[in-house]
Amino acid sequence: MAHDSQVSYLKYGNQTGLWSWLTTLDHKKIGIMYFISIFIFFFIGGMFALLMRLELLHPEPLFSADQYNQMMTYHGAIMTFMVIIPGVPAFLGNFLLPLMIGAKDVAFPRVNLMSWYCLMIGAAISFATIFFGGVDTGWTFYTPYSLETSGNTIMMVLGAFVMGFSSILTGVNFIVTIHRLRAPGMGFFQMPLMVWALYSTAIIQVVATPVLAITLLLLALEKVFGVGIFDPKLGGDPVLFQHYFWFYSHPAVYIMILPSMGIISELITTFSRKIIFGYRAIVYSTFGIASVSFFVWGHHMFVSGQSYWTGWIFSLLTMLVGVPTAIKAFNWVATMYRGSISFKAPMLFAFGYLFLFSIGGITGIYLAVIPIDVHFHDTYFVVAHFHYVMVGGTLLALTGGLYYWFPKMFGKICSELGSQISFFLIFVGFNVTFFPQFVLGHMGMPRRYHTYLPEFETLNIISTVGSWMIASGFFVTLGVVIYALLKGPKSGDNPWGGTTLEWKTSSPPPHENFETIPTVTGGPYEYGS
Amino acid sequence: MSVFLLLIQSAFAERFMPYQGTAIAAEIDYLYSFLLIVSLIAFVILIGGMLYFALKYRRKADNEPTPRITHNTALEFLWSGIPFIIFMIAFAWGLIIHKKMVDFPDKAFEVHVTGYRWAWDFQYKSGKKITNELYVPAGEPVKLIMTSKDVIHSFFIPAFRVKQDVVPGRYTALWFEAKTPGVYQVFCTEYCGTNHSRMLAKLHVLPKKKFEKWLSDNPYKGLSLAQRGEKILKGSCAACHGLSNARKIGPGFQGLWGKERVLEDGTTVVADAEYIRNSILYPQKQIVKSYNQVKMNSYQGQLSEDELTYIIEYFKNEKGN
Amino acid sequence: MSMAVDHLNGEALHHFPDAHTEFEASKLGIWLFLCTEILMFGGLFVAYFIFHGLYPEAFVEGAKYTDWKLGAANTVVLLFSSLTIALAVHFLQKDNIKAAAVNLAITFGCAALFMLIKGIEYSHKIHEGLLPGRWFSHAKEAQELPTYFAIYFTTTGIHGLHVLIGMALIIWVFIRTIRGGFNSRYYTAVEGVALYWHLVDLVWIFLFPLLYLV
């Protein structure tokens, strides 16, 4: 029997039963629990997406309008609150953060476990609404529609409220961990960029999520008691809700995208075997994006009747987000210059990310120009734009990150061929699905439409076919992961040649992560020259 | 540079955008062309660079040494500065056009718009009112003053590149000056529930003379009372009720007159004039069984006494045939 | 986790290098949590200022229906309780367990008194029909007065909820204190509850003038 400090965390203390997982305080096991739950949520949310695309295959209705509206709501709510927001920070972040800074665990392991339970309870409440009347407000809960609809909005809002706590607790935990538990010698500027990304994300989570909490609370109070804050019939202001909601939900977009930028920084350096280009520029732009993100919420409301001056301030500030984003993209490409570039599957995901995220980012700039936004607002152009960012960006990075750190988690390696097939299916399918939606947006097809005019049909058919390709891509991913878990070959401790601290311990790591806490002497990406 | 301007002038964006119905629409498309071309160039530089490096520096052997290039201040200034300048151009250009969109002309022809689930009412100063069909004169600025009866809607005319939320409890407005007569599509773009995707209207731009004739026309001229009723039902009620027996959002109308209606609480009521009138003005009072999920709006104040009479006459007449 | 950690003798949880780091980490965590509280109340204050801007007369009118004497009494009660809980921490640092426990008990008493006074105010308003939104039934004809009471009841209500949570937390640290769970080496939980209590106090100090004295 090997000593405790060498045994893999998966077999630590010979405890492998379900109960040992549900009560674990090990950040790695909690990370894996997030992985499994988020994967399940993702498949449920994806199922709703497929049903929506099926409805939109032809203008003739297949489901009733109310059924479609519910699918649209569940797809949005599940994917944002249960998949993309916790996706990278709670799953990969939980697993990696202590490893990357050379710590034994996060600062508050109990809080960490509680945060997982918050997500589970919140998710359970949200899913339960399906059986208690359903929700048809869209994930944005706009008043006064959400006040008037007969669906079970209150329960859904409660679910989102509880899930918000999960996000806040994770954020607090990460900030404290980064501040207090870095390995000796690791200054802030020796941290891997993934850690920086998680750090700025955590700050946004802590600052923005409480505003969502109070918004949802006020909405519930309005709905139950009719207190008259949002309801115009009682003297309330329905547009105030939009301000509140986007004050949270715009920074939330960066909760979704910033950590994925961290993943890409890691993938590009490792698979180019080269030090990152412009480390500090990337760090500063991460914080630039995070801080400006709090002052751009009004760009969701250019046509809500806000004043000319409000509009132009929000337009200007939104433009400013574009600059640090451009800096990052160019720095990643510059990192590849004179590198030793491998075409392994995770790197393919990084290439795909750059391609799709650039389109998502550029179209974001169009939407920041007010007269252009007036035309595109609430059309399929916006739908395509944010899917290019959220799916083409975050989900692609998450999947690439999964293949990259899978050996770290389980000591086994995913099939390279399988991973590559999944990449091509997802990448091509994604473009087939969402590029036509840009064109539909130009033509003026509004979003959240259960049925549409006949002239939009051809592009909708293409889009629906694309959705089947994406689905098959993710099923291949599922197959690859399950196969690797059961029969995957051993990966060795550092299969990709990474230089960050998580690769300086065994794969999978022992319970306390490192046999001896490493002492850091240089930067995170010192590839031999 | 001149090649660039030429590219824009070849109306790049028009290929994707709907017909340019106003002068401002053309200006917006021009700005959009500029953005499309600039971003296309940026995209080619970025993704082309990525692919070029990926192929040129692909790993040929394990343990290849790589140079230690940490940063390059000049380059980094370049690729933050150039995007910044482009963004500022786009921002300022957008602002100039936006100013024209929010500066309302002094002498605009005004139409009052009321959105409700799931139709649009248009009311003219002459007292004329019409549902889901907006008629405006060509070559003259038109101002729409809009409000909603229930939830937030949004009024969108793709051909004119205008869109404005329609909010209950307040007024919002937009204006346009249609260049050419024709029929244009209007969408509701703020999600408003079940029939959101059917909350459509047609915008008819008529030559000035024709429009004036239309405006002074009595819509009911030459029609019998029952025909007038049919006209109202086909306009205001069509989103939720069909003239046939088929169930839409609400029950179908065929053979309603004199029928026994079974209500939610199990009681029955005969569909007479009083019942029809009540169902229009106080729709929550007597709800037909299996329709309790549907919340119909009251049409009090929207339909005149005369119009109610027309509707009742329609039902009487329909039964008679 | 069955590993017993003897905090009182200066041991730290296994993943912290030493007790000082653990204390500092806990404190930072509490501060961050308080930040989220401030932002949440910030959202409420924004609602206050927006509606105050929309209906200034309703707020002047509404404030007349509040009893500034009861409000002022509650302010004094809370300020005093902030002092006593700070003293509790101070006495723990000096290893004077008994004095710390007494001060925690006084703090709890003040909190209860605050809730009592709040209850009296609420019952008056409920009795007179001065309620938010559609519940408003006061004889006074005022279109926008219900909005004032919507703000009044949501802000004071959510603040009251925080007082109740605070009371539960104070009981918890009180019991742990008299059982000898804290000393000058380890009093993180008391420090945390005290910081939380100061915040609850601070929020009230803003609410009082905004709602009673406008």
Side-chain angles (χ1 to χ4, degrees), chain B residues 224-288:
Chain B
S224 72
L225 294 189
Q227 284 168 327
R228 293 176 186 192
E230 184 175 349
K231 198 177 163 78
I232 299 168
L233 292 177
K234 278 182 173 166
S236 300
C237 313
C240 305
H241 301 275
L243 293 186
S244 73
N245 222 349
R247 175 182 182 140
K248 279 170 101 176
I249 304 296
F253 282 153
Q254 199 178 37
L256 178 67
W257 186 257
K259 212 188 202 173
E260 279 225 326
R261 311 296 282 157
V262 183
L263 303 184
E264 254 322 294
D265 55 7
T267 57
T268 57
V269 58
V270 175
D272 54 7
E274 193 62 29
Y275 167 80
I276 291 171
R277 183 191 161 82
N278 277 341
S279 300
I280 297 170
L281 299 183
Y282 314 103
Q284 298 307 317
K285 260 192 176 169
Q286 297 173 311
I287 297 176
V288 173

Side-chain angles (χ1 to χ4, degrees), chain B residues 26-258:
Chain B
E27 284 188 50
I28 293 173
D29 288 358
Y30 194 62
L31 164 59
Y32 185 56
S33 299
F34 164 77
L35 281 175
L36 266 185
I37 293 162
V38 172
S39 51
L40 208 63
I41 295 168
F43 186 76
V44 167
I45 293 173
L46 186 76
I47 299 305
M50 175 188 92
L51 292 175
Y52 176 75
F53 288 162
L55 294 174
K56 179 147 195 237
Y57 303 113
R58 69 181 177 278
R59 192 171 296 172
K60 285 151 198 123
D62 243 6
N63 295 328
E64 274 173 336
T66 55
R68 196 174 184 287
I69 308 167
T70 58
H71 65 285
N72 182 320
T73 313
L75 259 181
E76 287 175 78
F77 266 101
L78 201 68
W79 65 52
S80 11
I82 292 176
F84 179 75
I85 292 167
I86 294 168
F87 295 161
M88 286 306 108
I89 294 172
F91 163 72
W93 192 340
L95 220 57
I96 293 166
I97 298 177
H98 185 219
K99 184 91 183 116
K100 293 184 192 166
M101 297 169 81
V102 295
D103 275 350
F104 286 83
D106 294 333
K107 281 187 193 158
F109 181 83
E110 289 183 358
V111 184
H112 287 269
V113 180
T114 310
Y116 55 94
R117 281 177 287 177
W118 291 276
W120 302 97
D121 275 351
F122 303 103
Q123 226 172 339
Y124 295 83
K125 288 199 169 152
S126 66
K128 192 160 184 162
K129 199 174 107 185
I130 180 166
T131 302
N132 286 346
E133 309 274 333
L134 170 60
Y135 287 84
V136 298
E140 194 180 319
V142 175
K143 181 178 178 182
L144 304 182
I145 301 160
M146 310 188 287
T147 189
S148 164
K149 283 202 155 176
D150 38 47
V151 300
I152 300 178
H153 302 281
S154 194
F155 194 86
F156 176 35
I157 315 169
F160 298 172
R161 318 280 187 276
V162 289
K163 184 182 286 136
Q164 176 62 54
D165 281 3
V166 180
V167 185
R170 65 172 69 167
Y171 293 100
T172 53
L174 61 79
W175 79 276
F176 55 80
E177 187 180 322
K179 277 197 296 197
T180 33
V183 184
Y184 302 92
Q185 184 64 47
V186 176
F187 293 105
C188 172
T189 47
E190 185 62 69
Y191 173 69
C192 56
T194 311
N195 261 8
H196 170 51
S197 60
R198 292 181 202 269
M199 193 170 160
L200 310 173
K202 282 270 186 264
L203 167 61
H204 302 265
V205 177
L206 302 180
K208 179 96 178 150
K209 284 248 170 72
K210 256 189 165 172
F211 174 74
E212 269 159 14
K213 188 171 170 298
W214 176 86
L215 196 61
S216 56
D217 245 8
N218 180 351
Y220 299 128
K221 201 170 162 189
L223 297 179
S224 72
L225 294 189
Q227 284 168 327
R228 293 176 186 192
E230 184 175 349
K231 198 177 163 78
I232 299 168
L233 292 177
K234 278 182 173 166
S236 300
C237 313
C240 305
H241 301 275
L243 293 186
S244 73
N245 222 349
R247 175 182 182 140
K248 279 170 101 176
I249 304 296
F253 282 153
Q254 199 178 37
L256 178 67
W257 186 257

Side-chain angles (χ1 to χ4, degrees), chain A residues 12 23 25 103-110 165 168-169 171-173 175-176 179-181 205-208 210-211 213-214 217-218 221-230 234-237 240 244 247 511-512, chain C residues 1 3 13-17 21-22 24-30 32-33 35-48 50-51 54-55 132-135 143-144 146-147 149-151 153-154 158 161:
Chain A
Y12 172 71
T23 56
L25 296 179
K104 290 178 183 167
D105 207 320
V106 291
F108 311 117
R110 278 194 192 83
F165 274 96
I168 291 177
L169 293 176
V172 168
N173 219 338
I175 295 175
V176 176
H179 272 270
R180 299 286 175 219
L181 290 177
Q205 283 177 308
V206 167
V207 176
V211 181
I214 193 70
L217 201 64
L218 288 176
L221 283 175
E222 183 76 88
K223 183 114 180 148
V224 181
F225 298 113
V227 292
I229 289 179
F230 298 132
L234 299 170
D237 181 356
L240 177 63
Y244 271 132
F247 183 85
H511 175 65
E512 292 209 318
Chain C
M1 270 304 162
M3 250 180 278
L13 280 172
H14 79 112
H15 58 286
F16 287 105
T21 313
E22 185 183 349
E24 288 296 316
S26 306
K27 216 163 138 177
L28 181 60
I30 291 158
L32 286 168
F33 173 72
C35 282
T36 68
E37 289 279 9
I38 290 172
L39 281 148
M40 197 209 67
F41 277 108
L44 277 178
F45 283 113
V46 167
Y48 173 91
I50 283 172
F51 285 106
L54 281 174
Y55 313 130
R134 65 171 138 99
W135 303 92
Q143 279 292 311
E144 291 141 357
T147 307
F149 285 100
I151 298 291
F153 276 100
T154 38
I158 291 172
L161 188 69

Side-chain angles (χ1 to χ4, degrees), chain C residues 95-115:
Chain C
D95 277 320
N96 188 345
I97 310 294
K98 203 177 157 198
V102 168
N103 273 293
L104 283 174
I106 297 173
T107 313
F108 181 81
C110 289
L113 183 60
F114 176 89
M115 288 311 288

